[in-house]
């Protein structure tokens, strides 16, 4: 690692020494907002060849060092009209939008324009109907490339994204509730994250906020209350206040928010376990019953930080984030009828209550950063991060049987995690583009203790140590009349150790290293026509490492017939991804294909001969292949703005599942022939007086998702009405209803070979929500810390 850091330092010194003279400037859009990553090149006046070039920084500035005394300066960015001008030092260059809108449409607010940036799809929010959509989470739900599912927001075909706001990673999900839509300039969905991101990051969402000018004090308030229409206890109030004070080069900020969250699930379950007796006769064990699960919890989160602009292009700052549970209660009731070879052998009722344990769970995070530009060209970005979490819970289960025995089961668990991380990135303009070189080190420690009384399950005292040392480099350039090219590679070396003081047989130690390349191209077809087609093609290799909680082999008691554990032997997934995107006027088409080796799935298998099944994660030896294909349409007709996404998610997955009924003991199970079709249909109507009306729906058909089959149609129908008040629009009142048809849930079925599980669910997602937002002299934070160790932090 020391050698890698020294290499980075020498690289910075060497490339800084190349500087001769410079032409400085800034590139902005028609609103005056900076345009990052634009390509600036100096062309020879004799033959128009590229002499040298640079890529604009996050603030839109550039600095070209060249011995050329005259020539032509070209400024280009996908989605904007290319500009040619005589080089002028200190010039502010304005690019005009090149995206075509629907001819003949007349509206006071239009659908957001979507364009390719060379890395992904960028959607402009400012000036569109999304500007008053509510919170950042509401904006993302309606952004092309993202889909709202039962598990939250996902990038289509990629899963949950890593979210950044102005280059800073979002570690507190509630921040997306606090950030308001009228503060957002644009949203970029990246389906092929470059080498500077952790190899586990399969998708990134970058939010850029509107630049506010001026010093002084500002704040924003956000309050909402959502009430279930089916459950009186299902009340979810939320409140947040954020303050900001700016003076000169100093920016102080902080905030606190409170949230109460509830959930309720009613299910009918059937489980069949197959076996064979010593005499060779088939044996069938069945569970049929109902489940009721209710959760009520509340949390409080806070943050505070400072940013100091020491000089032009030199920033230093720090931030602290903390959170803790105020209440945590989970109540579960299971009624289970048990059959053996068709004969009723048990009628069991289990009542369980989970609460906080020996101490109150909390988490604490901190970031220190430096971001600067040396000699006008060498970009330096350094981040130091800490993250800690402590959790404690206890569970009491009372089992009452009409036919066998009663039991009282008590269990308790405590776990603690600590992460230390550092990341350094150097960037420098080379030839027609920009070169990046960097390193990232993450050191994670976790302890996981579990004990249970009332049944013969061994206790566990496990510890996990994982160190990840990475180096990466990337290069991106723009070639006139050809397009933008990008390539990068990241190498990660991981040292992993698992130890269990109670069960040493589970101990494991392994070290492994992997290369993760990526490459991309973006350009235009028919660039000289009135409506060119923007295209992007990319490839990347990625990995997915298991959550730390899934690496503990401790067996946890769920009920008399269902136990659960992690798997210390889990290997990380490795995947290869290819994507193609095309944008023409208001139509976006995207195709993504991926192959994943050592895919991790949740697996269930018989444990002993008493009808117990053990649920645990495992790797699958056969590859998992899937494709995502969709089209997004965003036309505007008068006050009616449409945002329609229609697509399909086919997959190819075969598992060799153990089955005692087969002579070989193995049965091939396939999850191939039933893809999930989906549609998102959002309609927004904007009228005079600050009124906005919305009608939206999300549909997902039955189909396979890895080794699960979703048996029902997922339907989420939403409506909203919103009123913007006060002259400056700083007060917004919004009323919305979700899951009006009460069908926003999945009911899964799975075939594990030796047994099958079917579950029919009914979730408490039918709610009405009222929210009020007020902004006073709010200013965009100057904070530029991007964070390090993002993957390990998420896995904790």
């Amino acid at each position: 690692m020391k050698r890698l850091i020294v290499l980075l330092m020498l690289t910075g010194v060497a490339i800084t020494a190349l500087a001769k003279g410079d032409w400085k400037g800034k590139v902005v859009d028609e609103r005056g907002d900076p345009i990052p990553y634009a390509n600036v090149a100096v062309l020879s006046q004799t033959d128009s060849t590229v002499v040298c070039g640079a890529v604009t920084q996050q603030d839109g500035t550039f600095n070209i060092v060249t011995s050329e005394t005259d020539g032509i300066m070209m400024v280009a960015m996908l989605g904007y009209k290319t500009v040619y001008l005589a080089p002028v030092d200190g010039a502010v260059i304005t690019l005009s939008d090149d995206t075509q809108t629907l001819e003949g449409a007349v509206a006071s607010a239009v659908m957001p324009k979507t364009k390719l940036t060379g890395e992904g799809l960028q959607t402009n929010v400012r000036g569109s109907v999304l500007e008053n959509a509510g919170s950042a989470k509401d904006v993302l739900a309606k952004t092309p490339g993202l889909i709202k599912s039962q598990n939250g927001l996902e990038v289509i075909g990629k899963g949950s994204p890593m979210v950044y706001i102005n280059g800073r990673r979002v570690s507190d999900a509630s921040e997306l509730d606090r950030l308001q839509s009228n503060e957002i300039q644009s949203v970029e969905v990246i389906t092929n994250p470059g080498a500077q991101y952790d190899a586990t990051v399969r998708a990134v969402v970058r939010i850029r906020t509107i630049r506010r000018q001026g010093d002084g004090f500002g704040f924003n308030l956000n309050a909402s209350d959502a009430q279930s229409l089916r459950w009186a206890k299902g009340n979810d109030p939320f409140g947040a206040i954020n303050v900001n004070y700016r003076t000169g080069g100093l920016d102080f900020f902080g905030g606190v928010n409170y949230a109460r969250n509830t959930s309720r699930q009613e299910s009918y379950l059937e489980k069949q376990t197959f076996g064979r007796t010593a005499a060779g006769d088939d044996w069938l064990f069945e569970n049929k019953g109902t489940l009721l699960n209710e959760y009520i919890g509340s949390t409080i989160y806070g943050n505070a930080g400072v940013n100091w602009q020491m000089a032009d292009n030199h920033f230093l700052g720090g931030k602290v984030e903390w959170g803790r549970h105020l209440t945590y209660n989970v109540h579960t009731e299971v009624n289970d009828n048990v059959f053996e070879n068709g004969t009723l052998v048990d009628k069991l009722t289990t009542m369980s209550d989970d609460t906080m344990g020996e101490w109150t769970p909390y988490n604490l995070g901190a970031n220190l950063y430096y971001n600067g530009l040396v000699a006008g060209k060498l970009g330096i970005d350094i981040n130091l991060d800490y993250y800690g979490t402590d959790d404690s819970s206890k569970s009491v289960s009372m089992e009452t049987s009409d036919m066998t025995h009663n039991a009282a089961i008590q269990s308790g668990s405590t776990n603690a995690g600590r992460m230390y991380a550092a990341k350094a990135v150097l960037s420098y303009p080379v030839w027609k583009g920009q070169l990046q070189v960097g390193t990232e080190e993450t050191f994670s420690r976790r302890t996981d203790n579990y004990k249970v009384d009332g049944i013969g399950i061994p206790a566990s005292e496990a510890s996990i140590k994982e160190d990840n040392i990475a180096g990466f480099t990337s290069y991106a350039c723009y070639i006139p009349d050809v397009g933008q090219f990008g390539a990068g590679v990241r190498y990660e070396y991981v040292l992993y150790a698992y130890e269990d003081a109670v069960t040493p047989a589970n101990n494991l130690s392994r070290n492994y290293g992997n290369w993760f390349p990526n490459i991309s191209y973006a350009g235009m077809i028919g660039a000289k026509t009135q409506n060119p087609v923007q295209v992007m093609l990319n490839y990347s290799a990625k990995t997915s490492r298991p959550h730390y909680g899934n690496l503990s082999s401790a067996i946890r008691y769920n009920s008399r017939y269902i136990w659960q554990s992690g798997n210390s032997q889990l290997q990380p997934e490795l995947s290869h991804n290819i994507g193609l995107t095309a944008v023409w006027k208001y139509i976006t088409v995207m195709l993504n294909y991926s192959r994943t080796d050592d895919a991790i799935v949740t697996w269930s298998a018989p444990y002993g001969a008493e009808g117990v099944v053990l649920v645990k994660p495992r790797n699958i030896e056969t590859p998992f292949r899937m494709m995502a294909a969709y089209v997004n349409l965003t036309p505007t007709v008068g006050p009616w703005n449409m945002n329609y996404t229609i697509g399909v998610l086919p997959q190819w997955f075969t598992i060799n599942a153990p089955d005692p009924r087969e002579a070989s003991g193995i049965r091939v199970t396939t999850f191939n022939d039933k893809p999930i079709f989906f549609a998102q249909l959002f309609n927004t109507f904007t009228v005079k007086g600050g009124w906005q009306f919305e009608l939206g729906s999300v549909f997902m058909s039955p189909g396979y998702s890895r080794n699960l089959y979703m048996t029902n149609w997922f339907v989420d129908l939403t409506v909203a009405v919103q009123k913007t008040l006060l002259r400056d629009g700083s007060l917004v009142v919004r009323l919305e209803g979700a899951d009006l048809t009460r069908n926003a849930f999945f009911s899964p079925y799975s075939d594990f070979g030796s047994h099958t599980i079917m579950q029919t669910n009914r979730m408490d997602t039918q709610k009405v929500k009222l929210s009020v937002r007020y902004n006073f002299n709010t200013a965009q934070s100057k904070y530029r810390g991007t964070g390090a160790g993002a993957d390990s932090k998420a896995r904790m």
Side-chain angles (χ1 to χ4, degrees):
M1 187 180 111
K2 290 182 179 178
R3 293 179 179 176
L4 184 57
I5 294 175
V6 170
L7 175 61
L8 289 172
M9 295 176 63
L10 291 175
T11 303
V13 172
I15 56 182
T16 304
L18 295 175
K20 296 180 181 179
D22 55 5
W23 280 336
K24 297 180 180 179
K26 186 175 183 178
V27 180
V28 299
D29 61 17
E30 293 170 300
R31 294 186 177 91
D33 294 314
I35 300 178
Y37 313 114
N39 297 280
V40 184
V42 176
L43 310 181
S44 171
Q45 210 164 30
T46 57
D47 58 6
S48 296
T49 59
V50 176
V51 178
C52 57
V55 177
T56 58
Q57 303 293 317
Q58 190 70 37
D59 60 358
T61 61
F62 66 88
N63 187 5
I64 296 179
V65 178
T66 178
S67 57
E68 185 80 11
T69 57
D70 58 359
I72 302 172
M73 181 178 289
M74 181 192 70
V75 184
M77 179 70 180
L78 284 174
Y80 294 91
K81 294 180 179 178
T82 301
V83 172
Y84 297 90
L85 70 163
V88 178
D89 187 30
V92 177
I93 303 166
T94 301
L95 299 185
S96 58
D97 205 320
D98 197 28
T99 305
Q100 302 294 319
T101 56
L102 182 64
E103 296 179 3
V106 179
S108 58
V110 299
M111 278 308 300
K113 300 174 182 178
T114 298
K115 59 192 175 190
L116 290 175
T117 63
E119 290 186 288
L121 284 170
Q122 179 177 296
T123 300
N124 291 327
V125 176
R126 189 177 182 183
S128 76
V129 293
L130 292 182
E131 188 172 17
N132 293 310
S135 67
K137 187 178 293 184
D138 297 318
V139 171
L140 296 183
K142 300 173 183 178
T143 298
L146 290 164
I147 188 170
K148 181 181 178 182
S149 71
Q150 187 175 345
N151 298 322
L153 292 171
E154 296 183 353
V155 173
I156 299 174
K158 296 286 186 175
S160 299
M162 185 169 290
V163 181
Y164 288 80
I165 298 177
N166 296 327
R168 173 183 57 81
R169 180 181 177 270
V170 174
S171 56
D172 175 8
S174 65
E175 186 170 356
L176 296 178
D177 291 308
R178 300 194 300 269
L179 179 63
Q180 301 307 301
S181 56
N182 60 1
E183 301 176 73
I184 299 175
Q185 174 71 34
S186 63
V187 175
E188 185 176 8
V189 179
I190 300 173
T191 57
N192 184 45
Q196 69 270 32
Y197 297 100
D198 189 285
T200 62
V201 179
R202 301 192 181 201
V204 169
V205 170
R206 290 202 296 228
I207 300 174
R208 186 159 64 98
T209 61
I210 297 171
R211 180 173 296 275
R212 311 286 187 182
Q213 302 295 334
D215 293 342
F217 175 77
F219 68 89
N220 66 66
L221 299 173
N222 184 10
S224 65
D225 193 13
Q227 175 60 51
S228 167
L229 300 181
R230 300 280 178 169
W231 183 36
K233 295 180 180 179
N235 182 251
D236 300 345
F238 172 84
I241 179 171
N242 294 277
V243 297
N244 184 276
Y245 178 72
R246 298 173 65 173
T247 176
L250 288 171
D251 176 26
F252 300 92
F253 59 91
V256 63
N257 73 85
Y258 164 85
R260 181 181 188 264
N261 295 291
T262 62
S263 66
R264 191 171 193 265
Q265 173 184 342
E266 298 175 272
S267 302
Y268 174 76
L269 304 96
E270 285 191 8
K271 175 172 68 72
Q272 293 185 321
T273 303
F274 311 104
R276 181 160 289 178
T277 66
D281 298 324
D282 288 338
W283 170 79
L284 176 63
F285 198 92
E286 296 176 280
N287 298 75
K288 299 180 181 180
T290 60
L291 175 145
L292 172 65
N293 179 272
E294 296 176 343
Y295 163 74
I296 299 176
S298 60
T299 56
I300 185 169
Y301 287 93
N303 70 85
V306 60
N307 180 85
W308 177 29
Q309 184 173 356
M310 301 178 292
D312 288 344
N313 298 320
H314 292 277
F315 298 85
L316 183 69
K319 183 177 183 180
V320 175
E321 297 176 300
W322 58 271
R324 66 182 299 166
H325 282 281
L326 299 177
T327 58
Y328 176 85
N329 295 280
V330 180
H331 176 73
T332 306
E333 299 179 15
V334 179
N335 294 291
D336 200 2
N337 293 324
V338 185
F339 301 85
E340 186 170 357
N341 293 325
T343 303
L344 181 66
V345 295
D346 199 1
K347 295 185 67 176
L348 182 68
T349 298
T350 304
M351 310 281 284
S352 301
D353 288 286
D354 297 349
T355 58
M356 290 187 291
E358 300 177 12
W359 60 76
T360 301
Y362 77 93
N363 59 72
L364 176 66
N367 169 256
L368 293 173
Y369 81 92
Y370 166 77
N371 181 278
L373 198 63
V374 178
K377 299 190 70 174
L378 175 64
I380 302 176
D381 189 7
I382 299 175
N383 281 266
L384 304 174
D385 275 71
Y386 165 82
Y387 183 77
T389 176
D390 283 66
D391 195 8
S392 176
S393 63
K394 61 182 179 181
S395 178
V396 177
S397 299
M398 303 299 297
E399 296 181 347
T400 304
S401 174
D402 293 347
M403 304 179 68
T404 57
H405 63 280
N406 300 335
I409 311 296
Q410 298 186 30
S411 62
S413 68
T414 61
N415 60 68
R418 300 291 184 268
M419 183 213 70
Y420 309 88
K423 185 176 182 179
V425 183
L426 301 179
S427 58
Y428 193 81
V430 175
W431 191 46
K432 303 175 184 180
Q434 180 137 322
L435 174 68
Q436 275 193 343
V437 182
T439 179
E440 184 173 10
E441 289 80 34
T442 305
F443 308 95
S444 303
R445 305 290 184 266
R446 180 182 170 93
T447 59
D448 194 341
N449 301 320
Y450 177 77
K451 62 180 181 180
V452 58
D453 297 320
I455 194 169
I457 293 179
S460 174
E461 297 179 10
S463 64
I464 298 172
K465 297 180 181 180
E466 184 176 281
D467 298 337
N468 186 324
I469 301 172
F472 57 87
T473 183
S474 64
Y475 180 74
C477 68
Y478 177 78
I479 301 177
D481 299 324
V482 178
Q484 182 167 318
F485 295 86
V489 64
R490 183 183 180 99
Y491 179 77
E492 294 188 356
Y493 188 74
V494 178
L495 299 90
Y496 170 81
Y498 174 87
E499 295 182 359
D500 191 330
V502 177
T503 313
N506 291 330
N507 292 355
L508 176 67
S509 177
R510 62 172 180 245
N511 303 333
Y512 52 92
N514 296 99
W515 294 91
F516 301 99
N518 68 278
I519 188 170
S520 65
Y521 164 77
M524 288 189 181
I525 299 175
K528 297 181 179 180
T529 64
Q530 184 178 1
N531 297 305
V533 178
Q534 305 173 60
V535 295
M536 181 173 65
L537 179 65
N538 55 61
Y539 160 81
S540 64
K542 295 293 180 180
T543 186
S544 179
R545 300 186 181 93
H547 188 283
Y548 287 117
N550 286 337
L551 293 172
S552 173
S553 293
I555 296 177
R556 299 175 183 266
Y557 186 86
N558 285 355
S559 69
R560 184 174 295 186
Y561 296 103
I562 298 179
W563 297 359
Q564 188 173 353
S565 80
N567 183 356
S568 63
Q569 310 295 313
L570 279 178
Q571 297 283 346
E573 297 181 344
L574 293 175
S575 64
H576 299 272
N577 311 278
I578 299 174
L580 174 64
T581 306
V583 177
W584 181 70
K585 298 180 72 172
Y586 59 86
I587 303 173
T588 300
V589 178
M590 180 173 285
L591 295 172
N592 277 301
Y593 172 82
S594 66
R595 170 194 165 120
T596 301
D597 295 318
D598 294 320
I600 299 174
V601 301
T602 299
W603 196 257
S604 182
Y607 190 79
E610 303 297 326
V612 175
V613 296
L614 180 64
V615 180
K616 63 187 295 185
R618 59 164 286 197
N619 294 108
I620 300 300
E621 62 278 4
T622 54
F624 170 71
R625 300 178 178 91
M626 75 163 294
M627 185 176 70
Y630 72 88
V631 58
N632 174 258
L633 310 173
T634 56
T636 299
V637 179
W640 179 20
N641 300 274
M642 291 158 276
N643 185 349
Y644 296 166
T645 301
I646 302 172
V648 62
L649 300 169
Q651 67 172 44
W652 299 267
F653 200 23
T654 300
I655 298 178
N656 297 321
D659 190 340
R661 297 170 298 176
E662 300 291 330
S664 63
I666 297 294
R667 177 164 57 89
V668 177
T669 57
T670 59
F671 306 85
N672 298 338
D673 56 346
K674 296 178 181 178
I676 292 178
F677 294 88
F678 65 90
Q680 284 192 151
L681 309 175
F682 294 117
N683 302 273
T684 304
F685 301 87
T686 57
V687 297
K688 293 182 179 180
W691 287 97
Q692 182 167 298
F693 302 91
E694 301 172 18
L695 176 63
S697 56
V698 179
F699 302 91
M700 291 189 182
S701 73
Y704 285 117
S705 176
R706 290 223 168 182
N707 63 319
L708 298 177
Y709 177 67
M710 305 304 172
T711 62
N712 66 301
W713 276 88
F714 175 100
V715 180
D716 185 9
L717 180 65
T718 60
V719 297
V721 58
Q722 180 174 287
K723 171 67 173 174
T724 301
L725 303 167
L726 303 183
R727 272 187 171 183
D728 59 356
S730 58
L731 179 63
V732 178
V733 180
R734 182 180 176 89
L735 179 66
E736 55 191 294
D739 190 19
L740 300 185
T741 61
R742 207 188 178 198
N743 286 295
F745 53 83
F746 290 108
S747 294
Y749 167 85
S750 190
D751 183 353
F752 299 98
S754 56
H755 74 283
T756 61
I757 294 179
M758 185 274 292
Q759 183 171 324
T760 302
N761 297 318
R762 179 74 69 178
M763 304 294 184
D764 180 54
T765 49
Q766 192 176 53
K767 297 186 176 185
V768 173
K769 179 180 178 181
L770 176 66
S771 60
V772 179
R773 309 189 307 275
Y774 176 70
N775 298 322
F776 172 77
N777 193 30
T778 54
Q780 175 186 330
S781 173
K782 297 179 180 179
Y783 198 78
R784 295 185 173 219
T786 55
D791 171 57
S792 293
K793 190 183 301 182
R795 291 163 63 203
M796 285 187 180

